[in-house]
Structure formats: structure tokens, C-alpha cells
């Protein structure tokens, strides 16, 4: 039985001379196949087939081969936006690509994009606009979907610094954490002060300086999580 090869967008049969195809119900636009020819199809455009008359038989009735529409484009929704990461919500069968956006940019040739199964893109440049593309892969009974696109901008590097700074400041203000600072208190306070200087005068600092401060504060927070509890510190003091 003749069917549709949805992945390659063609009829999964090999045709020979003596059969015509076209796209009008009366086959007024009919074209005869050459030897061992396969017929590509366009989603939503029906194909009409007919076997020509021979010296021994009449022409066949015109057969309408119904071609389904291409599935509509996905509705992309953002899942995560940071200064270095963009991620859309994952869809079953989805495949994704990203390009750096430009003003009045036209959609590129989708075949030239680097597609991936993951909806997350990293590392990206901070404070930069990107355009994410996505579509669903073809399956046994449906074509690949129309491509969807969504333009989004990564956060500025300082926004991430602000987030990390706030986490560190909150930790220093909690009684449970402050009891554990010990020798770390002066060092962490210095790092938080560095962050304040960058946040209050962003234009005088580079993204590299902000990233160094982010990494340092992240390390501070990690070390705080690894510090023993107040009770454990008291035990250590007694044994020292």
C-alpha cells in the first residue's frame, strides 16, 4: 500500500513511465513519471495520480492522494533566563537551535542552523539578544511541525552579581549563619563590599570584574554551607 514518508516528505513508492501526477483534480497539469522516480510532496497540497491508457486497457480513474497539513508551530515559553543561559520549556519531540539576534533580522535558512535535542543553551554572552528556534520532529503519521521562534535577551552580568550579593547579605544577617562565620566574617564582608562597589558604579567596571566577584561570592556561599554547626564549632574550640 502506498503511504507517505513523513521524514523525507515524499510518497514512499517508486513510479515509472505510464503514470502521471499533478495537483489539479482533472490532472490538466499532469506530468508523466520517468523511470524509478520518487515523488516529493508539500504538506497540505494533495497529489493526483492516473495510469495512462495502453493498447490493451483504458486509463485508470484519477486517484486523489490526500497530503495532511504540517503541524502548527510550537508556542515557546521561557524556562530560565540568566546572564549566560537561556532555556525554553521542553516539548516532546522538540528540537532546538539558537542564533544571535540583530536589528531587523530575517529568519535564517533553518537547514543551516545547529539543532540540538536540549532546550537549554549555554554558555551565552551577557546582556545579548538571541533568537531561539524550535520544531517537533516528524513521526510515523505527521510531518515535522512549522518552526517557531522566540527572541529573548540574556541578563546583564551585574544582575547575577546582584542576586549572589543579596544571598550573601541575607546569610550574614541570620543568627544561625552568623554564629558559624568565625574567621570567614572579615573575608566575606570584604567580598560583599567589592560587590557593592560594582553594583553602585556599573559603568566603571567590566563584565570580567563582575564575573570574578560572582565566582568569589559563590565560593564564599559554598564554604558557608560546608561549615559545621555551632555545636560542632564549640566542640572544636574545647578540644583545641
Amino acid at each position: 500500500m502506498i503511504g507517505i514518508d513523513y521524514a523525507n516528505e515524499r510518497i514512499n513508492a517508486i513510479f515509472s513511465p505510464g503514470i502521471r501526477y499533478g495537483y489539479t483534480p482533472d490532472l490538466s497539469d499532469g506530468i508523466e513519471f520517468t523511470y524509478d522516480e520518487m515523488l516529493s510532496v508539500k504538506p497540505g497540497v494533495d497529489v493526483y495520480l492516473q495510469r495512462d491508457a495502453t493498447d490493451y486497457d483504458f486509463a485508470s480513474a484519477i486517484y486523489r492522494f490526500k497530503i495532511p497539513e504540517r503541524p502548527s508551530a510550537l508556542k515557546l515559553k521561557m524556562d530560565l533566563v540568566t546572564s549566560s543561559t537561556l532555556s525554553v520549556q521542553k516539548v516532546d519531540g522538540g528540537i532546538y537551535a539558537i542564533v544571535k539576534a540583530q536589528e531587523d533580522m530575517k529568519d535564517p535558512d533553518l537547514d543551516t542552523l545547529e539543532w540540538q535535542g536540549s532546550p537549554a543553551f549555554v554558555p551565552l554572552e551577557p546582556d545579548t539578544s538571541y533568537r531561539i528556534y524550535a520544531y517537533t520532529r516528524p513521526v510515523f503519521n505527521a510531518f515535522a511541525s512549522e518552526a517557531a521562534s522566540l527572541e529573548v535577551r540574556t541578563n546583564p552580568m551585574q544582575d547575577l552579581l546582584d542576586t549572589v550579593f543579596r544571598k550573601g547579605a541575607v546569610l550574614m544577617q541570620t543568627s544561625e549563619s552568623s554564629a558559624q562565620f568565625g574567621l570567614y566574617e572579615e573575608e566575606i564582608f570584604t567580598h560583599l563590599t567589592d560587590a557593592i562597589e560594582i553594583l553602585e558604579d556599573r559603568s566603571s567596571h567590566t563584565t570580567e570584574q563582575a564575573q570574578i566577584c560572582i565566582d568569589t561570592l559563590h565560593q564564599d556561599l559554598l564554604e558557608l554551607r560546608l561549615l559545621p554547626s555551632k555545636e560542632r564549632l564549640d566542640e572544636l574550640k574545647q578540644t583545641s
Side-chain angles (χ1 to χ4, degrees):
M1 181 177 179
I2 297 177
I4 300 174
D5 179 350
Y6 288 98
N8 294 302
E9 301 192 0
R10 64 191 183 193
I11 294 176
N12 61 355
I14 296 176
F15 298 95
S16 298
I19 300 177
R20 291 183 301 136
Y21 70 92
Y23 304 97
T24 57
D26 63 356
L27 265 182
S28 57
D29 60 345
I31 301 172
E32 186 175 13
F33 285 105
T34 59
Y35 285 98
D36 298 333
E37 186 176 354
M38 302 190 77
L39 180 61
S40 297
V41 296
K42 183 178 180 180
V45 179
D46 293 343
V47 176
Y48 295 86
L49 301 169
Q50 184 180 43
R51 177 177 52 78
D52 291 336
T54 67
D55 293 339
Y56 309 100
D57 200 1
F58 295 106
S60 71
I62 296 175
Y63 174 73
R64 178 191 179 192
F65 201 95
K66 187 169 180 59
I67 308 298
E69 296 280 354
R70 188 182 298 282
S72 57
L74 300 171
K75 293 183 178 180
L76 295 179
K77 295 181 179 180
M78 293 307 302
D79 185 50
L80 178 66
V81 179
T82 74
S83 61
S84 61
T85 303
L86 294 176
S87 179
V88 295
Q89 293 181 3
K90 188 175 180 62
V91 176
D92 288 343
I95 189 167
Y96 310 87
I98 193 170
V99 295
K100 191 178 292 187
Q102 299 176 358
E103 189 175 353
D104 299 327
M105 170 183 169
K106 295 182 179 179
D107 287 328
D109 181 353
L110 299 183
D111 291 335
T112 65
L113 301 183
E114 295 184 11
W115 296 92
Q116 62 182 48
S118 170
F121 299 92
V122 64
L124 302 175
E125 297 178 17
D127 200 20
T128 303
S129 292
Y130 289 89
R131 189 174 294 179
I132 299 173
Y133 293 88
Y135 69 91
T136 55
R137 296 181 178 91
V139 291
F140 74 96
N141 62 349
F143 294 109
S145 72
E146 296 283 357
S149 66
L150 179 64
E151 192 163 315
V152 63
R153 193 173 189 87
T154 52
N155 290 336
M157 185 72 75
Q158 289 86 351
D159 286 358
L160 180 57
L161 176 59
D162 183 58
T163 300
V164 178
F165 165 75
R166 291 175 187 275
K167 288 181 180 179
V170 169
L171 271 175
M172 287 196 69
Q173 293 169 4
T174 60
S175 58
E176 181 181 349
S177 297
S178 60
Q180 301 178 43
F181 279 126
L183 297 175
Y184 289 96
E185 184 170 5
E186 182 176 351
E187 184 178 354
I188 295 174
F189 182 79
T190 300
H191 297 159
L192 289 173
T193 302
D194 293 340
I196 292 174
E197 290 181 0
I198 296 176
L199 291 170
E200 290 183 344
D201 190 11
R202 300 172 188 234
S203 61
S204 298
H205 295 84
T206 65
T207 56
E208 288 77 15
Q209 289 174 313
Q211 184 62 58
I212 291 171
C213 196
I214 290 167
D215 294 340
T216 303
L217 283 174
H218 267 308
Q219 185 62 34
D220 289 341
L221 296 175
L222 177 60
E223 290 174 352
L224 283 176
R225 294 189 186 99
L226 296 177
L227 283 175
S229 64
K230 182 178 182 298
E231 291 75 14
R232 179 58 179 156
L233 283 174
D234 291 339
E235 289 180 15
L236 292 173
K237 289 177 181 179
Q238 293 173 5
T239 58
S240 61

